[in-house]
Amino acid sequence: MAHFEIKNLSFSYPTAGGRKALDNINLTIERGQYVTFCGRSGCGKTTLLRQLKSALTPHGKRTGEILFDGTLIGNVGLREQSARIGYVMQDPDNQIVTDKVWHELAFGLESLGVDQKTIRLRVAEMASYFGIQGWFHKKVTELSGGQKQLLNLASIMAMQPDVLILDEPTSQLDPIAASDFLNTVRKINRELRTTVLITEHRLEDIFHASDRVVVMEDGKVLTADGPRQVGAFLKEKDSPIFAAMPSPVQIYFAVMNTNGDILKKQSEKDEASKKGFEESEGTEGNSGMAYADGCPLTVREGAAWLDTLFEGKKLEKTVIEDADPALADPEDIEDPAVFVKETWFRYEKDTPDVLKGVVLRVPKKTLFAVVGGNGTGKSTLLKTICNTCKPYRGKVLIDGKPVGKYKDSELFRHNLALLPQDPKSLFVKKTVREELLEMLEKGESESRIDEIAALCEITPLLSQHPYDLSGGEQQRAALAKVLLTDPKILLLDEPTKGIDSFFKQQFAAILQKLKERGVTIIMVSHDVEFCAKYADLVSMFFDGSVVTTNTPNQFFSRNSFYTTAANRMSRHVFENAVNNEDVIKLCKENL
């Protein structure tokens, strides 16, 4: 019997003017499957998953049926749903309800009325399984974003659910923490046979592990199939969602479709390798393996494919020329837009320093990216630049003038703007249009709102309440609000969080236009793929200070883990290819 059967499901929000968020969905989820939902922001992924647990179902008009183990979901009691269907939200702070780690682990079981002896056993087991022992007695406020999300997962798994639903659970995690978290989810699926339903924009770590991938578009299911078949389908249809596919998939099709002879040669090799190859469950691939249904899915498979592609061939070119090597040495930057000079900061007098002698020079008209793990002080750095956090030693210069000497009205109008990590903190009105109207100066034309709304692709959302938008839509609405201040320096804290790959391309074009207009952009981000492709300079932030600054090619090609999938896949062949376009270009030049 299927775990979930979704039949002719349609749903529309009350304020959507009749537009369907879900349109005639038909889907079956088998017990023990790992199912990934992907698609552009606002396509209906979160709305669909929330229909699968009655307590989380949004208000609106719904038609069709959802069966859980053969019973209509509305006839399954809320207590049974709480015990059997676990849900991990996008923002970990929205789900934590107690003050201590140990109490959070026990809270769900207490709510279900489980006896104390069982609670102690389950809490001990989950703390051991998830490696929480070291911070078991801590306050939840002391945890990093990655620890909070792991705590949410452990708290739900303590109830031993049959189904685990995760809504973009890694959107606020750094790449290493995100990879660890998703590996844990995969382990739960494999070892406990827990059915996993997950939505995610970053597919590198989960695409290959999926039994099925469900692609959604405009509230409909575009396709639901195995990962290799989905990659081929999206490429054949020339779908914009193909931009979300993992790097090995994108690189494979870009290279193999350029030349029919190459494709034929590779197909012959694949057929020959197929005969002796049997893929075992849970493996990522086999060096030299064939791809029976097409493209490689993982870094390991992608590297093996490159080996076969260039077998017996001497490579003529293995290096990508740096776009602007003159930027590589920050000491040579004269007249920086922002100069953070030996800055120290702590939140309270008796607490440890968060910033420890930070030195940062940001050239004018550049996109300057700052990467690093959760809790290292990146967001605090942005708050210090805009004078929200005042350092007790050192200084911050904006266009050569100490930030403390600017009046707030002068600093935050046409000089500097900050897009915070949580876009909801900017929303105070009932509609998106009202939010944007608030930012207009006296006498300024409302046509600017339509212009910015079109730029950020939120025109259809102007009449909606900001809190009714998806995470990616909220991010775009917040960006529009910030851009209306027309800043010279734009500070962005995790701006690509919750944004689909298609809009990331649009977002990069927006940033390029801003640079051409003279805007300097400082971006804190966990999105190494975006930074590698679009940043002019990248800094690594660790333990409260800047460790190194370099151009993306130099920065990411020297790292083993804090780098892109394209670089890890190709570094044994090419020296400094760090994004898909680099690898594709070098492959074509050598073929």
Side-chain angles (χ1 to χ4, degrees):
M1 182 183 293
H3 235 150
F4 282 105
E5 289 180 85
I6 303 171
K7 300 179 179 180
N8 305 317
L9 178 67
S10 294
F11 178 84
S12 57
Y13 289 96
T15 59
R19 184 176 69 91
K20 291 183 179 180
L22 300 176
D23 189 359
N24 197 34
I25 302 289
N26 288 278
L27 200 62
T28 301
I29 309 295
E30 300 293 340
R31 183 180 296 273
Q33 281 192 328
Y34 189 113
V35 183
T36 297
F37 292 78
C38 64
R40 297 179 61 178
S41 181
C43 68
K45 304 184 299 296
T46 297
T47 301
L48 176 59
L49 293 188
R50 284 181 174 269
Q51 306 291 324
L52 305 181
K53 190 166 182 174
S54 297
L56 298 176
T57 301
H59 178 62
K61 182 182 178 181
R62 186 173 82 179
T63 59
E65 294 182 344
I66 300 175
L67 303 179
F68 178 59
D69 281 349
T71 303
L72 285 172
I73 192 72
N75 295 336
V76 180
L78 293 180
R79 187 185 186 283
E80 183 180 353
Q81 287 189 42
S82 298
R84 298 184 62 194
I85 304 173
Y87 199 107
V88 177
M89 298 179 181
Q90 183 173 347
D91 186 348
D93 288 319
N94 288 346
Q95 197 160 353
I96 292 174
V97 294
T98 66
D99 59 341
K100 295 290 183 70
V101 170
W102 66 268
H103 197 187
E104 188 68 26
L105 286 169
F107 181 80
L109 296 169
E110 291 173 346
S111 302
L112 293 174
V114 178
D115 64 88
Q116 287 295 317
K117 185 176 181 180
T118 303
I119 289 176
R120 286 196 296 270
L121 174 61
R122 297 243 195 118
V123 166
E125 181 186 32
M126 286 302 118
S128 301
Y129 184 85
F130 287 95
I132 291 175
Q133 305 97 314
W135 34 283
F136 186 74
H137 295 285
K138 278 190 173 184
K139 295 180 180 180
V140 293
T141 54
E142 298 174 6
L143 304 182
S144 69
Q147 289 173 325
K148 286 178 181 177
Q149 199 64 298
L150 196 63
L151 174 60
N152 280 339
L153 180 59
S155 303
I156 286 168
M157 291 309 299
M159 294 186 283
Q160 298 180 347
D162 298 327
V163 181
L164 182 60
I165 302 174
L166 305 103
D167 185 12
E168 293 188 39
T170 67
S171 65
Q172 300 189 42
L173 306 185
D174 65 75
I176 296 173
S179 180
D180 290 343
F181 180 89
L182 293 172
N183 285 338
T184 302
V185 172
R186 177 59 174 155
K187 188 177 179 184
I188 289 169
N189 170 253
R190 291 176 56 195
E191 296 185 0
L192 304 181
R193 203 167 173 254
T194 303
T195 303
V196 172
L197 310 179
I198 183 170
T199 68
E200 187 60 68
H201 286 307
R202 298 189 300 190
L203 296 178
E204 298 287 352
D205 292 314
I206 65 172
F207 192 74
H208 70 277
S210 306
D211 296 306
R212 293 172 72 202
V213 177
V214 178
V215 181
M216 296 187 65
E217 189 172 60
D218 296 328
K220 299 179 180 179
V221 172
L222 190 61
T223 183
D225 211 332
R228 299 189 203 277
Q229 291 76 17
V230 165
F233 173 85
L234 294 177
K235 179 63 179 177
E236 182 182 348
K237 298 294 182 183
D238 197 24
S239 169
I241 304 172
F242 184 75
M245 293 295 101
S247 291
V249 177
Q250 294 190 50
I251 293 169
Y252 174 87
F253 281 109
V255 173
M256 302 305 279
N257 287 347
T258 15
N259 188 314
D261 293 336
I262 299 173
L263 186 58
K264 181 180 178 182
K265 179 182 176 183
Q266 182 67 24
S267 298
E268 290 171 353
K269 288 184 178 180
D270 284 352
E271 288 296 329
S273 301
K274 251 193 259 182
K275 297 177 181 177
F277 176 75
E278 290 182 3
E279 187 173 3
S280 60
E281 182 185 0
T283 59
E284 286 191 351
N286 185 3
S287 57
M289 67 168 281
Y291 310 107
D293 296 309
C295 58
L297 300 179
T298 65
V299 166
R300 185 179 178 184
E301 290 180 359
W305 166 70
L306 285 177
D307 285 340
T308 60
L309 190 66
F310 294 115
E311 184 180 356
K313 184 176 181 64
K314 183 180 179 181
L315 302 184
E316 300 295 331
K317 187 173 181 181
T318 61
V319 179
I320 290 287
E321 293 181 7
D322 218 329
D324 191 353
L327 287 174
D329 189 355
E331 298 293 334
D332 294 339
I333 297 171
E334 297 180 2
D335 190 25
V338 176
F339 183 16
V340 182
K341 188 175 182 181
E342 292 290 342
T343 299
W344 294 73
F345 174 81
R346 62 172 70 116
Y347 282 99
E348 295 179 14
K349 186 176 180 180
D350 298 325
T351 57
D353 289 311
V354 179
L355 302 183
K356 304 175 183 178
V358 178
V359 176
L360 195 69
R361 292 179 178 85
V362 181
K364 292 179 178 178
K365 305 178 186 179
T366 60
L367 173 54
F368 192 104
V370 181
V371 301
N374 288 97
T376 55
K378 303 185 302 298
S379 296
T380 303
L381 172 65
L382 293 187
K383 293 174 184 176
T384 302
I385 291 173
C386 65
N387 209 33
T388 304
C389 293
K390 296 175 171 50
Y392 69 85
R393 191 190 307 167
K395 56 185 176 181
V396 177
L397 303 177
I398 304 294
D399 281 332
K401 180 179 176 180
V403 68
K405 292 188 177 181
Y406 285 91
K407 293 179 181 179
D408 283 351
S409 58
E410 179 189 7
L411 181 64
F412 294 108
R413 195 78 208 187
H414 306 304
N415 266 304
L416 187 146
L418 169 65
L419 176 63
Q421 193 170 31
D422 182 7
K424 293 193 292 291
S425 64
L426 293 182
F427 300 142
V428 294
K429 302 293 184 180
K430 292 183 179 179
T431 67
V432 175
R433 178 175 286 278
E434 289 178 23
E435 293 286 354
L436 302 184
L437 278 170
E438 182 189 36
M439 305 306 294
L440 294 182
E441 293 182 312
K442 189 175 180 179
E444 197 170 4
S445 172
E446 291 188 21
S447 62
R448 279 206 70 208
I449 289 179
D450 297 326
E451 178 189 340
I452 292 293
L455 185 68
C456 296
E457 295 188 5
I458 59 169
T459 301
L461 313 174
L462 290 176
S463 62
Q464 295 194 37
H465 195 291
Y467 279 65
D468 288 338
L469 307 181
S470 71
E473 289 169 340
Q474 286 180 342
Q475 198 78 355
R476 303 203 308 258
L479 175 64
K481 189 170 183 177
V482 167
L483 289 180
L484 282 170
T485 64
D486 198 22
K488 292 179 182 175
I489 297 170
L490 181 60
L491 308 179
L492 304 172
D493 195 353
E494 296 292 345
T496 60
K497 171 174 61 72
I499 288 179
D500 60 79
S501 297
F502 182 79
F503 185 74
K504 281 181 186 178
Q505 297 173 359
Q506 308 298 106
F507 179 60
I510 293 170
L511 297 185
Q512 181 59 37
K513 289 178 184 176
L514 291 174
K515 286 198 300 178
E516 291 170 359
R517 283 162 42 183
V519 178
T520 302
I521 304 158
I522 304 176
M523 177 179 69
V524 162
S525 181
H526 292 315
D527 192 341
V528 295
E529 314 287 341
F530 187 88
C531 295
K533 188 172 182 179
Y534 299 111
D536 298 302
L537 281 172
V538 184
S539 280
M540 169 66 84
F541 210 80
F542 175 75
D543 193 28
S545 63
V546 174
V547 177
T548 184
T549 300
N550 218 320
T551 56
N553 277 354
Q554 296 300 316
F555 179 89
F556 289 109
S557 62
R558 296 175 182 177
N559 297 335
S560 296
F561 298 102
Y562 229 98
T563 188
T564 62
N567 179 254
R568 285 184 276 118
M569 167 181 162
S570 67
R571 65 194 315 162
H572 69 297
V573 179
F574 307 128
E575 291 182 33
N576 65 339
V578 296
N579 58 54
N580 296 349
E581 289 71 21
D582 291 344
V583 179
I584 293 166
K585 179 181 178 182
L586 289 175
C587 282
K588 290 180 178 179
E589 288 181 355
N590 283 286
L591 290 170

